[in-house]
Amino acid sequence: PCRSVLTVACEQTEVLLFDPISSKHIKTLSEAHEDCVNNIRFLDNRLFATCSDDTTIALWDLRKLNTKVCTLHGHTSWVKNIEYDTNTRLLVTSGFDGNVIIWDTNRCTEDGCPHKKFFHTRFLMRMRLTPDCSKMLISTSSGYLLILHDLDLNKSLEIGSYPILRARRTTSSSDITSSGSSGPRAVGSPCHQNDSGPLSEKHMSRSSQREGGSPRNSLEVLTPEVPGERDRGNCITSLQLHPKGWATLLRCSSNTDDQEWTCVYEFQEGAPVRPVSPRCSLRLTHCIEEANVGRGYIKELCFSPDGRMISSPHGFGIRLLGFDAHCSELVDCLPKEASPLKEIRSLYSHNDVVLTTKFSPTHCQIASGCLSGRVSLYQPKF
């Protein structure tokens, strides 16, 4: 968070650490895991977590990198995502076993942390918390986006313990299940679509929620509108949140893997315009088609710290995208209908497909990493 260290997750069990200002290599954790390292998340300025295809999560301390703080066991398949709730100090992980697991880092020992299964869904790809930790978003390879509203991580979601918010499009009854369930559970029903919003409604207004009228962990199931994919399915491979919680950023690929899109969806809060007309929580505002290279690999994109720009892997480089040509705030240039993202600058310095990119949280600096292992750092010239 203080941008003093750049961490890199590698395919072959390694984690690399660099000084992002001098570009000097600090340390290599050569056996951080027993399989590919997928994601790294800092809990504070010294403690960070890594997750791996070896089904484990590891906690590390920058002051003592020769050994792990502890190893966390609980997933049964590749662990792909780590989030951290700074309010409750709970670590949240998700994996290809479909499970979202909560870890109590307050009671961490060398043997691990107390944990519990929080939620389960089939085809889980990515899981994110909004900046204020009031919502959890989950993307799936079957094209669904799940939103848990008024999030309470202390309450596990057993069968029937969360209200289902109606979806506008038909959803598969076998795709979504709660933790501990023994069979599929239907989550939506067909509904006519008569505005630009993709899918679902919220039962109560924000004022009702503040008065305690809305239950916690209300589940909304969306099938986000993706340009060019109206007649065929898509996979939501990458999921990010606007730093101010205004929007979500998705990277989607077609089921045939021959087309990719980057899409921005604005959060729409409040009550439905008319009680009989469901209001969607998300509305597509901007999109752009991506380069169809590196098929089968997930490309992780990101927002800039101020939310005005998007950095997106594009072939052997990255593109810096804005909501308009002047890099305005999203709220200042919301279109009535979905508009193309504007390309601000393209940067190409790799000799292989770029898979990930990240802005420094405090400086005008961007990092990118490609399939062959090269890490590039960019800094604008003024």
Side-chain angles (χ1 to χ4, degrees), residues 218-236:
S218 298
L219 176 65
E220 182 177 13
V221 184
L222 312 179
T223 51
E225 177 187 354
V226 179
E229 298 298 323
R230 300 179 191 278
D231 299 323
R232 52 182 179 162
N234 64 85
C235 172
I236 304 173

Side-chain angles (χ1 to χ4, degrees), residues 57 73-85 90-104 114-129 135-140 146-148 151-158 162 176-180 217 219 239:
I57 301 99
H73 299 271
H75 285 281
T76 58
S77 187
W78 300 349
V79 188
K80 293 294 186 180
N81 204 185
I82 307 172
E83 291 287 285
Y84 185 63
D85 185 341
L90 293 173
L91 196 70
V92 190
T93 61
S94 67
F96 281 179
D97 55 5
N99 292 327
V100 176
I101 295 180
I102 308 297
W103 310 83
D104 187 356
H115 66 279
K116 63 181 179 180
K117 186 191 296 185
F118 177 72
F119 189 76
H120 177 84
T121 181
R122 294 180 63 192
F123 313 123
L124 188 152
M125 288 294 293
R126 292 290 184 267
M127 173 273 305
R128 300 286 180 190
L129 301 181
K135 297 181 181 68
M136 176 185 289
L137 281 75
I138 298 172
S139 66
T140 71
L146 284 62
I147 306 178
L148 285 164
L151 188 65
D152 183 0
L153 293 176
N154 292 308
K155 181 181 179 182
S156 290
L157 301 182
E158 303 297 338
Y162 54 87
I176 317 297
T177 59
S178 63
S179 66
N217 296 330
L219 176 65
L239 168 66

Side-chain angles (χ1 to χ4, degrees), residues 303-316:
F303 278 107
S304 61
D306 60 5
R308 291 173 179 258
M309 284 200 301
I310 294 165
S311 182
S312 175
H314 189 261
F316 288 12

Side-chain angles (χ1 to χ4, degrees), residues 317-332:
I318 61 175
R319 288 193 300 186
L320 300 181
L321 306 170
F323 304 115
D324 63 13
H326 307 291
C327 295
S328 301
E329 293 272 18
L330 174 62
V331 294
D332 295 330

Side-chain angles (χ1 to χ4, degrees), residues 18-309:
F18 295 92
D19 181 334
I21 302 302
S22 67
S23 302
K24 290 183 178 179
H25 175 240
I26 298 173
K27 190 175 181 63
T28 296
L29 307 179
S30 58
E31 296 181 358
H33 286 274
E34 296 178 0
D35 207 335
C36 301
V37 185
N38 296 318
N39 193 229
I40 303 174
R41 177 79 180 194
F42 275 87
L43 282 61
D44 51 37
N45 284 329
R46 62 174 181 83
L47 194 66
F48 65 95
T50 60
C51 65
S52 168
D53 285 354
D54 67 5
T55 76
T56 70
I57 301 99
L59 293 182
W60 305 84
D61 193 321
L62 284 175
R63 301 170 299 181
K64 188 181 178 183
L65 290 170
N66 292 329
T67 59
K68 304 173 185 177
V69 175
C70 65
T71 301
L72 311 181
H73 299 271
H75 285 281
T76 58
S77 187
W78 300 349
V79 188
K80 293 294 186 180
N81 204 185
I82 307 172
E83 291 287 285
Y84 185 63
D85 185 341
T86 54
N87 300 321
T88 60
R89 295 178 62 193
L90 293 173
L91 196 70
V92 190
T93 61
S94 67
F96 281 179
D97 55 5
N99 292 327
V100 176
I101 295 180
I102 308 297
W103 310 83
D104 187 356
T105 56
N106 296 311
R107 295 188 288 159
C108 195
T109 68
E110 292 182 357
D111 298 326
C113 293
H115 66 279
K116 63 181 179 180
K117 186 191 296 185
F118 177 72
F119 189 76
H120 177 84
T121 181
R122 294 180 63 192
F123 313 123
L124 188 152
M125 288 294 293
R126 292 290 184 267
M127 173 273 305
R128 300 286 180 190
L129 301 181
T130 52
D132 62 0
C133 299
S134 65
K135 297 181 181 68
M136 176 185 289
L137 281 75
I138 298 172
S139 66
T140 71
S141 60
S142 55
Y144 292 113
L145 184 66
L146 284 62
I147 306 178
L148 285 164
H149 295 274
D150 301 298
L151 188 65
D152 183 0
L153 293 176
N154 292 308
K155 181 181 179 182
S156 290
L157 301 182
E158 303 297 338
I159 301 175
S161 67
Y162 54 87
I164 304 298
L165 304 183
R166 292 292 187 183
R168 282 184 173 244
R169 296 178 184 172
T170 304
T171 56
S172 171
S173 62
S174 63
D175 283 352
I176 317 297
T177 59
S178 63
S179 66
S181 64
S182 59
R185 177 180 177 86
V187 298
S189 62
C191 183
H192 292 294
Q193 186 167 347
N194 49 22
D195 60 28
S196 60
L199 298 158
S200 307
E201 67 176 309
K202 297 191 70 173
H203 284 310
M204 298 188 180
S205 66
R206 283 289 164 189
S207 60
S208 297
Q209 293 174 18
R210 287 193 293 269
E211 294 167 2
S214 177
R216 305 296 296 272
N217 296 330
S218 298
L219 176 65
E220 182 177 13
V221 184
L222 312 179
T223 51
E225 177 187 354
V226 179
E229 298 298 323
R230 300 179 191 278
D231 299 323
R232 52 182 179 162
N234 64 85
C235 172
I236 304 173
T237 56
S238 181
L239 168 66
Q240 299 291 339
L241 274 300
H242 189 281
K244 298 178 182 178
W246 293 343
T248 183
L249 177 65
L250 304 183
R251 183 76 168 248
C252 304
S253 61
S254 62
N255 280 348
T256 53
D257 213 19
D258 61 350
Q259 197 174 25
E260 287 187 334
W261 291 86
T262 288
C263 302
V264 178
Y265 299 85
E266 171 205 10
F267 278 107
Q268 298 188 104
E269 304 292 355
V273 178
R274 299 186 304 275
V276 297
S277 176
R279 178 171 185 173
C280 314
S281 286
L282 294 177
R283 182 179 73 91
L284 178 65
T285 62
H286 297 82
C287 58
I288 194 169
E289 189 170 4
E290 296 285 4
N292 183 33
V293 295
R295 294 187 182 186
Y297 287 95
I298 295 172
K299 291 88 175 180
E300 298 287 1
L301 43 118
C302 65
F303 278 107
S304 61
D306 60 5
R308 291 173 179 258
M309 284 200 301

